[in-house]
Amino acid sequence: MSSVPFIDLKAQYARIKPQIAEAIQEVLDDGRYILGPAVTRFEEELAAYCGVRHAISCSSGTDAIFIPLLAYGVGPGDAVFVPSFTFTASAEVILLAGASPVFVDVEAHSFTIDLTDLERKISETRAEGRLKPKAIIAVDLFGLPADWNGLNKLAEREALHLISDAAQSFGGVYHNRRVGSLAPVSGTSFFPAKPLGGYGDGGAIMTDDDNLAELLKSIRVHGQGADRYEVARIGINGRLDSIQAAILSVKLSIFDEELDARERISRVYDAALGDVVTVPKRVDGLQSAWAQYTIKTDGRAALQEKLAAAGIPTMIYYPKPMHLQAPYAPYGGGEGSLPVSETICDEVMSLPMHPYLSDDDAKRIAAEVREALG
Ligand SMILES: Cc1ncc(COP(=O)(O)O)c(C=O)c1O
């Protein structure tokens, strides 16, 4: 078969080219290039979309979880619980804040944080007494919301801050509530390859808490106080460019259609592959944003090679859990300590997934997978 792209941002651009040109031109004519009116408008659209009081745009998905840590005063001596099977950014921000990550295992089927292991790690950390449990960062990996009811209850009982790393799940739904409204504070990413992606870096933080929102906004702009040159606290340069906001507003207007298309492709894959590989878990009442369609299989290397030869790109998200990566090793329990995360790193493989993939191409990809598996 002719080769297919892993994601196809060009097909999307072709669809919205005139609207994008107009949106960018408007910002250029306006002249307010950072946190301008296009940013305010996009933040209002985001808040309405997620059903939250505040959406605070920022410079990346990384800053969207770093800024809340700073706002909660997380720092040296604090433990922050985070799944090991994730992208480095989920854990990196903990060390950047001066705190220590405590790595938690994930569920083999949903790829999201294992609440039983989380409870165990919190108890162990309290018993050990070296670090003070302060926060949880839970990740909606590959787009599927984690167990947010369970997480909110646990965080409340343990008096821990709960941060949703929703970098991959913007657009997802959890029992009739949108991602962005599932935790006291949620951060998402607008990296180009994300379900809602810009043409550069960007992110946003969602919350219903008015006081926290003020703090987040201040930290986003160097800890700005009542006026621009009053420094109320230490912050960062975490602002979003107006051009990115204008682009994202256009993309948000077609986002629901794109989510439907991703869901449709996931169903094609499920139907064609469910009996030969482990397909992604579906949970009643939960809707994935399908940032990735990730299967599990033995013999991954041979499969990946055969698919590559057939012009089908695949990705391994992720080949190594965080607790075994060099900078995090001192904080983890080493090999064998988080068995599920370690095992699935050897089994997972993501197939092409984007809203402009045709059903026919998805069927042909699935057929190649079946053939390669013999
Ligand atoms: C789970 C997760 N968290 C955080 C991030 C960071 O987002 P960004 O690249 O926008 O900083 C990513 C990006 O890949 C991610 O996948």
Side-chain angles (χ1 to χ4, degrees):
M1 92 189 252
S2 57
S3 71
V4 291
F6 189 72
I7 58 166
D8 193 351
L9 295 173
K10 285 186 183 163
Q12 185 200 49
Y13 178 53
R15 175 180 173 189
I16 52 176
K17 197 170 177 173
Q19 296 94 310
I20 293 286
E22 196 183 321
I24 292 175
Q25 191 60 54
E26 228 173 82
V27 175
L28 295 179
D29 290 339
D30 174 76
R32 285 168 285 181
Y33 301 131
I34 291 176
L35 294 186
V39 172
T40 310
R41 188 170 61 236
F42 176 56
E43 288 178 336
E44 287 166 3
E45 291 166 359
L46 273 183
Y49 187 83
C50 295
V52 293
R53 288 175 58 76
H54 306 278
I56 297 134
S57 64
C58 62
S59 45
S60 69
T62 307
D63 286 340
I65 47 175
F66 184 47
I67 294 171
L69 283 180
L70 297 181
Y72 286 137
V74 173
D78 292 336
V80 180
F81 302 89
V82 65
S84 181
F85 187 62
T86 184
F87 180 61
T88 181
S90 312
E92 181 180 50
V93 292
I94 300 166
L95 285 161
L96 288 174
S100 300
V102 174
F103 291 104
V104 180
D105 219 342
V106 295
E107 294 177 353
H109 300 301
S110 66
F111 304 120
T112 56
I113 195 163
D114 178 337
L115 263 71
T116 308
D117 194 46
L118 174 58
E119 277 198 82
R120 190 182 308 128
K121 292 294 186 323
I122 295 169
S123 308
E124 285 173 5
T125 305
R126 288 202 200 284
E128 195 191 351
R130 190 173 51 85
L131 296 169
K132 184 179 184 301
K134 192 72 181 268
I136 301 164
I137 298 177
V139 184
D140 297 335
L141 209 72
F142 305 145
L144 182 71
D147 175 4
W148 286 105
N149 282 346
L151 282 162
N152 276 293
K153 273 188 213 141
L154 179 59
E156 210 166 295
R157 195 169 69 234
E158 297 283 350
L160 298 174
H161 297 297
L162 178 59
I163 298 170
S164 160
D165 179 349
Q168 302 186 6
S169 60
F170 188 79
V173 177
Y174 181 92
H175 299 295
N176 298 317
R177 287 187 293 143
R178 280 262 179 222
V179 162
S181 70
L182 307 178
V185 66
S186 306
T188 195
S189 165
F190 303 126
F191 181 79
K194 293 288 188 271
L196 181 64
Y199 292 145
D201 278 309
I205 311 165
M206 275 65 71
T207 185
D208 276 324
D209 181 330
D210 296 349
N211 293 328
L212 180 64
E214 286 312 305
L215 209 48
L216 297 168
K217 281 186 209 164
S218 164
I219 293 168
R220 172 179 68 173
V221 190
H222 300 292
Q224 188 175 295
D227 67 67
R228 182 176 290 194
Y229 295 107
E230 189 205 345
V231 183
R233 57 190 59 82
I234 294 303
I236 63 170
N237 174 358
R239 301 169 297 216
L240 184 70
D241 293 346
S242 304
I243 284 179
Q244 290 307 331
I247 289 164
L248 285 161
S249 279
V250 174
K251 292 203 182 194
L252 188 61
S253 71
I254 57 164
F255 187 52
D256 280 347
E257 276 174 47
E258 294 189 335
L259 288 170
D260 288 348
R262 286 177 187 271
E263 172 63 20
R264 200 189 67 239
I265 297 301
S266 77
R267 298 271 172 194
V268 172
Y269 281 151
D270 273 14
L273 295 174
D275 60 333
V276 289
V277 297
T278 307
V279 295
K281 184 177 181 177
R282 290 185 188 268
V283 185
D284 279 347
L286 270 62
Q287 175 63 52
S288 175
W290 296 114
Q292 305 297 339
Y293 185 91
T294 302
I295 59 170
K296 284 191 294 179
T297 178
D298 306 332
R300 177 180 69 187
L303 174 60
Q304 194 172 30
E305 212 171 286
K306 284 179 189 165
L307 291 176
I312 299 168
T314 54
M315 300 292 284
I316 309 295
Y317 300 121
Y318 298 93
K320 203 181 203 183
M322 288 307 127
H323 70 286
L324 300 182
Q325 297 277 5
Y328 300 120
Y331 303 90
E335 200 119 13
S337 60
L338 299 176
V340 177
S341 298
E342 292 168 35
T343 303
I344 58 185
C345 283
D346 293 332
E347 299 173 342
V348 287
M349 191 179 86
S350 302
L351 297 177
M353 166 54 85
H354 62 81
Y356 301 93
L357 191 65
S358 69
D359 284 16
D360 283 350
D361 277 345
K363 281 177 192 161
R364 278 188 285 148
I365 290 166
E368 292 283 357
V369 172
R370 294 188 73 90
E371 192 183 312
L373 290 170

